[in-house]
Amino acid sequence: MNIVLLGPPGVGKGTVAAILSSKYRIPHISTGNMLREAVTKGTALGREAKGFMDAGRLVPDELVTKMVKERVAQPDCKGGFILDGYPRTSAQAKALQEFAAIDAVLDFKAPFKTIVERISGRRTCRKCSSVYHIKYNPPKKDGTCDRCSGELYQRSDEKPGIITERLRVYGEQNKPLIDYYRNEGILSEIDASFHITEIGKIVKQCDEALVKSR
Ligand code: AP5
């Protein structure tokens, strides 16, 4: 099953994707994580992407599409995959259609205030990219990842001005994407406003949408 997760920055896509990935045993492919890794390693892609990411803008379509196309061609994606953060533009959706058949698109929704609160308190592991929240999902030991003991940090695109810019860019690009997948008949809305202690309610909606799309 090939799944796409849509929704604004910080709505909780990555958190739910990690759960779905272990439940359905298919890889979670986060373009944000892949790009941040490229930036850390200082690859040619990372050097090109950094300026766009730091400003809260989208990395050019061709660069991201090439990266995703190569990733989904890997053997571990044969049984399906979860795309988190791609496609983000109509051009990316059209490109994706050329190299992968998408079975279900889950569109995550939550109130604006909730989203801003979630992004502002997020902490990410430098080593394994696990995600925490200082209030809603804190690590056992302050500043340290429960899974791999890596250092937790606040992403450079989590400053207030940059968050606003990312949400603006999302608002600009999102409608045509939603229309595109709605026309394809594979779009399901997911109410992601439930608190993390009730994350099962969000996962359940995803499960139901996936069963429907089979
Ligand atoms: P990316 O990393 O994809 O960022 P994003 O889409 O902006 O999504 P986030 O990772 O910010 O949020 P999320 O929805 O996964 O939320 P999370 O689960 O972490 O992209 C970053 C940048 O890379 C982009 O700005 C762009 O420059 C570039 N890029 C990436 N893909 C691209 C593409 N296709 N084309 C061009 N450029 C691209 O949750 C957020 C927080 O909330 C966490 O702290 C979590 O613990 C907490 N939380 C989660 N769920 C709950 C809950 N139910 N209750 C309470 N707290 C919760």
Side-chain angles (χ1 to χ4, degrees):
M1 188 152 242
N2 298 335
I3 305 163
V4 163
L5 305 188
L6 297 181
V11 73
K13 303 179 295 293
T15 302
V16 172
I19 296 171
L20 296 177
S21 169
S22 73
K23 187 167 181 178
Y24 293 103
R25 295 170 193 231
I26 51 176
H28 166 205
I29 301 173
S30 156
T31 46
N33 285 348
M34 290 171 82
L35 289 167
R36 279 185 288 280
E37 201 181 312
V39 170
T40 305
K41 286 185 177 157
T43 64
L45 168 65
R47 288 196 300 275
E48 258 195 88
K50 189 174 185 319
F52 295 101
M53 295 175 77
D54 285 348
R57 310 302 303 267
L58 293 181
V59 174
D61 290 332
E62 321 75 68
L63 293 179
V64 190
T65 292
K66 182 171 180 286
M67 180 181 83
V68 174
K69 192 174 174 184
E70 285 170 5
R71 178 64 187 89
V72 302
Q74 297 296 310
D76 65 332
C77 291
K78 279 217 164 68
F81 52 78
I82 302 167
L83 280 179
D84 163 13
Y86 184 94
R88 261 180 158 92
T89 63
S90 299
Q92 292 180 14
K94 286 191 185 108
L96 174 62
Q97 199 184 26
E98 302 292 314
F99 61 85
I102 299 303
D103 302 295
V105 178
L106 310 179
D107 181 26
F108 282 51
K109 291 187 179 301
F112 182 79
K113 189 171 163 269
T114 306
I115 291 166
V116 173
E117 222 182 348
R118 285 182 186 173
I119 313 194
S120 326
R122 176 170 47 199
R123 295 293 180 272
T124 306
C125 176
R126 267 194 210 286
K127 246 161 94 182
C128 72
S129 303
S130 290
V131 164
Y132 298 85
H133 191 281
I134 47 171
K135 192 164 146 203
Y136 302 128
N137 181 25
K140 290 193 183 91
K141 189 176 162 209
D142 211 19
T144 305
C145 177
D146 293 347
R147 290 194 188 89
C148 73
S149 304
E151 182 203 355
L152 302 186
Y153 77 108
Q154 186 165 29
R155 282 167 35 181
S156 57
D157 61 0
E158 285 166 340
K159 297 177 194 110
I162 309 293
I163 292 175
T164 314
E165 175 62 5
R166 284 168 62 204
L167 289 167
R168 188 195 67 74
V169 170
Y170 169 78
E172 206 176 81
Q173 301 285 351
N174 188 49
K175 191 171 176 318
L177 259 190
I178 296 291
D179 291 345
Y180 178 81
Y181 285 120
R182 187 169 286 129
N183 284 339
E184 297 279 304
I186 55 172
L187 185 83
S188 300
E189 281 190 10
I190 305 295
D191 176 1
S193 65
F194 294 100
H195 190 267
I196 201 137
T197 51
E198 295 188 303
I199 198 136
K201 290 187 179 169
I202 305 175
V203 175
K204 187 164 175 268
Q205 295 172 66
C206 298
D207 288 339
E208 285 166 359
L210 296 178
V211 167
K212 207 176 70 187
S213 68
R214 273 192 182 143

